[in-house]
Each structure stands twice: as structure tokens, then as C-alpha cells.
Amino acid sequence: MKILVINGPNLDRLGMREKNIYGSLKLNEINEIIQNYFKNKNTFIDFIQSNDEGKIISEIGNSEEKYNGIVINPGAYSHYSIGILDAIRGINIPVVEVHLSNIHSREEYRKKTITGEGCLGVISGFGHYSYIMAINALIDFYSKS
């Protein structure tokens, strides 16, 4: 199983911004935790982070030949990026959306995820463990196929 984890805008600032919401772990630390969790489970994970919507769209579009699934944290793009939604809908591999914080307990505009409409599911509110849950969901999806 090969998974691509895509992190969107401002996630490169984790550990420095709004620690009360997003925690104190930096993105590279979260990635390391995820890698270590799956290292003996025949699951290979690549990570990218971009603040650029176009790069995220391109990565999604180029993923189909290389990966079995995608875990995406689109950050703020989740609330308005029809381009990312169209990219997700345009591929034939499952995508799970994640958020570190519970988007349903925050500002009204954060409660709606446009990009989530194209995903297998959306997981939010479990910090870095949201990513682990999403990857496990993809593994479970394929075990039932």
C-alpha cells in the first residue's frame, strides 16, 4: 500500500502558530510519527506540503499512477476550493480528508468542507492521530475490496 499525504496552506507553520488549536508538534514531527506508526505494516507514505493551490491540484492529478490513496489536509482550501474538489473527483483512487482541530466546534465558515464532498470520508479533531485514522481507513477500504 502506497499513500500520499498532502498538507495544504500554513501547515508548514505548525508548532509555531495557534498552538492552543493545532498543538505544538511541527509538521515534520507529525510526519515522523506517522511514518513510525506504519513502518512495519507494509504501508509506504510520501508527504508533501504546499501553500499553493495549483501545486496541490497537480499533485492530486499526478497521484493516480503512483499511489493507492491520498490523505489530504487542505487547510483553509477545504472551505472554498472547487479546484481541489474537482481534482479529487477526477481521480480513481480514494481520498480521505483530515483536520487537526474539530472544525465543527470552530467558526461557522470552518464547518463546511467543500473538498470533503469528493472524499471517502472526513476525519477531524484528533490532532496528528487524524492522519493515522485516515490511513487506517484507506487500508480498511482496500481490505474490503
Side-chain angles (χ1 to χ4, degrees):
M1 173 83 60
K2 193 159 184 192
I3 306 293
L4 175 63
V5 174
I6 300 174
N7 283 290
N10 298 310
L11 290 162
D12 57 331
R13 304 273 309 143
L14 288 175
M16 298 174 270
R17 65 180 272 249
E18 299 176 282
K19 292 180 186 181
N20 59 318
I21 296 172
Y22 301 110
S24 59
L25 290 174
K26 294 181 178 177
L27 185 58
N28 65 325
E29 294 171 316
I30 291 172
N31 293 347
E32 188 175 320
I33 290 168
I34 295 166
Q35 284 283 24
N36 287 336
Y37 186 91
F38 289 99
K39 72 179 175 185
N40 296 322
K41 297 183 178 168
N42 202 28
T43 302
F44 306 95
I45 305 164
D46 289 331
F47 300 91
I48 65 147
Q49 186 282 323
S50 181
N51 295 318
D52 179 15
E53 183 179 21
K55 181 167 174 34
I56 293 169
I57 291 167
S58 294
E59 291 289 344
I60 293 168
N62 294 329
S63 66
E64 214 167 12
E65 301 294 319
K66 303 176 204 171
Y67 299 99
N68 302 101
I70 296 174
V71 172
I72 185 169
N73 184 340
Y77 289 138
S78 65
H79 312 297
Y80 64 86
S81 179
I82 294 171
I84 292 176
L85 170 61
D86 286 347
I88 291 168
R89 286 182 170 161
I91 59 173
N92 289 314
I93 58 173
V95 179
V96 177
E97 182 173 310
V98 299
H99 296 278
L100 294 163
S101 68
N102 179 355
I103 60 174
H104 300 287
S105 68
R106 299 193 55 203
E107 302 91 345
E108 197 60 38
Y109 65 89
R110 293 189 194 273
K111 295 178 182 181
K112 172 77 171 152
T113 166
I114 299 292
T115 52
E117 293 177 20
C119 294
L120 184 64
V122 178
I123 300 169
S124 76
F126 296 96
H128 71 275
Y129 196 69
S130 294
Y131 293 90
I132 292 169
M133 293 169 72
I135 295 167
N136 278 324
L138 288 170
I139 291 168
D140 187 59
F141 173 83
Y142 278 105
S143 73
K144 292 178 180 177
S145 303

